[in-house]
């Protein structure tokens, strides 16, 4: 079985993000892994799939700077692209497609290894200590996002800025975002600071793709033409409560190891239902199921990654949001 790839290419940021769902569908239909590298241009902020925009960024400040705020298909934390950058997209038909010992809860640890090898081959020793970022030359430099569908298909995205570090600048960040030390006291780096100058972003994109195949012991095969992209799903965000549904109540927010989680009651035809989101690295279907209040026995949590918060944290926040909605006004 080969690792099918699209050649590294310059793409609008919305197109690069739309590659995620498109390659995930190809991985399903072909029962084979797919990878692509997109060379993109900022400035822009790329939110995780479940992050409420107004908690992470000041949308007015982003607009004034000319930095659109977009959302990717994978969960996790936000990345800033201050100029040139690279987005790697890896889609797998199942968790163990590249690493036979990988399971949902070890998904990132196993599948990030090819990326580490690629950065090292490009001259930037890389390490992964867990959670949401890869360090190059001992500095955080590449951000991870993940999603797992209920059928087991996996989407992994790696985002790195060439000209600016991935941290959201303080003047663009919301107060809750500024309150979190996302980099554990380390100064995040732009690729230009940690990758040798002789290695262009274009070259780095290709080296990493080749290393992912090499680490998996799979031949790299040309995937042919680019898929049709649903770019309308990846247009700039203008509403601070996005992606909470219209009519959701006030958000209940809780601090967790990865940053923040939040929930908001959703009224209408679904009593006892809440939108659940935040910075956690997990499957979107799991957040949706917990928001619906499904009983623990009905959730196959072993099929979903969960990093940065625990199930108990998520359930407690849903109950808090629903209790606040039911509380009588005084």
């Amino acid at each position: 079985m080969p690792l099918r790839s699209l050649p590294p290419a310059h793409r609008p940021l919305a197109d690069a993000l739309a590659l995620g769902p498109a390659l995930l569908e190809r991985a399903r239909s072909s029962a084979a892994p797919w990878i692509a590298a997109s060379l993109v241009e900022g400035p822009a902020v790329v939110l995780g799939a479940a992050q409420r925009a107004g908690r992470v960024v000041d949308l007015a400040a982003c607009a004034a700077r000319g930095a659109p705020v977009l959302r990717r298909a994978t969960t996790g934390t936000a990345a800033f692209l201050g100029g040139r950058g690279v987005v790697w997209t890896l889609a797998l038909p199942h968790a163990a497609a590249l690493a036979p010992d990988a399971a949902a809860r070890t998904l990132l640890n196993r599948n990030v290894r090819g990326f580490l090898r690629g950065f090292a081959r490009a001259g930037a020793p890389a390490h992964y200590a867990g959670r949401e970022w890869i360090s190059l030359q001992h500095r955080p430099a590449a951000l991870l996002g993940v999603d797992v569908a209920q059928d087991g298909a996996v989407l992994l995205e790696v985002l790195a800025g060439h000209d600016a570090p991935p941290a959201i600048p303080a003047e663009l960040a919301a107060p809750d975002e500024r309150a979190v030390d996302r980099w554990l006291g380390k100064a995040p780096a732009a690729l230009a600071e940690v990758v040798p100058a002789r290695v262009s972003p274009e070259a780095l994109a290709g080296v990493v793709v080749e290393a992912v195949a090499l680490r998996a012991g799979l031949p790299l095969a040309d995937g042919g033409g680019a898929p049709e992209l649903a770019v309308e799903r990846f247009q700039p965000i203008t509403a601070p409560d996005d992606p909470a549904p219209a009519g959701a109540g006030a958000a209940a927010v809780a601090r967790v190891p990865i940053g923040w989680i939040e929930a908001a009651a959703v009224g209408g035809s679904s009593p006892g239902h809440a939108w659940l989101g935040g910075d956690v690295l997990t499957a979107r279907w799991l957040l949706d199921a917990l928001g619906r209040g499904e009983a623990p026995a009905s959730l196959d949590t072993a099929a979903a990654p969960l990093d940065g918060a625990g199930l108990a944290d998520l359930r407690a926040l849903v109950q808090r949001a629903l209790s606040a909605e039911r509380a009588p006004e005084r």
Side-chain angles (χ1 to χ4, degrees):
M1 176 183 66
L3 172 58
R4 301 186 184 279
S5 71
L6 300 180
H10 291 265
R11 296 184 175 94
L13 182 54
D15 287 26
L17 300 178
L19 268 180
L23 291 191
L24 192 65
E25 188 52 43
R26 284 197 172 184
R28 282 195 184 98
S29 61
S30 64
W34 284 76
I35 192 168
S38 301
L39 296 137
V40 298
E41 295 277 349
V45 175
V46 181
L47 299 175
Q51 291 185 296
R52 186 169 57 87
R55 183 186 52 77
V56 181
V57 292
D58 181 331
L59 288 170
C62 291
R65 176 157 173 179
V69 179
L70 291 81
R71 185 180 304 285
R72 61 182 190 266
T74 51
T75 60
T77 60
F80 178 67
L81 295 170
R84 292 173 294 171
V86 186
V87 178
W88 287 275
T89 307
L90 178 65
L92 309 175
H94 55 83
L98 297 186
D101 63 340
R105 294 303 171 89
T106 58
L107 184 62
L108 286 171
N109 179 278
R110 299 299 189 271
N111 285 290
V112 81
R113 294 175 182 178
F115 291 92
L116 302 183
R117 186 168 188 169
F119 288 125
R121 286 166 66 90
H127 299 88
Y128 176 63
R131 240 163 43 202
E132 76 270 42
W133 44 265
I134 293 170
S135 63
L136 304 182
Q137 306 279 16
H138 304 290
R139 294 177 62 187
L143 196 87
L144 300 171
V146 69
D147 192 26
V148 179
Q150 283 191 276
D151 64 4
V154 173
L155 179 60
L156 176 66
E157 292 176 302
V158 181
L159 300 89
H162 182 270
D163 301 316
I168 298 173
E171 65 271 18
L172 303 184
D176 282 345
E177 184 67 18
R178 293 198 298 270
V180 178
D181 176 13
R182 297 213 174 275
W183 316 105
L184 304 181
K186 300 180 180 181
L191 292 174
E193 298 177 90
V194 290
V195 175
R198 68 178 184 278
V199 181
S200 67
E202 292 82 359
L204 177 65
V207 167
V208 170
V209 167
E210 292 168 0
V212 171
L214 189 64
R215 179 66 177 76
L218 298 177
L220 195 62
D222 187 345
E228 185 174 343
L229 302 176
V231 294
E232 64 275 5
R233 293 173 50 190
F234 298 92
Q235 297 307 300
I237 293 165
T238 57
D241 286 334
D242 184 287
V253 181
R255 191 75 164 80
V256 289
I258 201 171
W260 301 96
I261 54 174
E262 52 190 315
V266 179
S269 59
S270 302
H273 173 217
W275 169 79
L276 178 62
D279 303 334
V280 63
L281 285 157
T282 190
R284 287 181 294 163
W285 70 260
L286 179 59
L287 294 175
D288 292 343
L290 290 168
R292 292 192 301 269
E294 292 188 3
S298 70
L299 290 178
D300 183 11
T301 54
L306 183 59
D307 205 343
L311 277 174
D313 300 317
L314 296 168
R315 289 196 181 98
L317 189 62
V318 168
Q319 289 306 309
R320 193 172 122 203
L322 295 176
S323 296
E325 184 74 3
R326 289 192 292 263
E329 294 186 5
R330 297 186 178 183

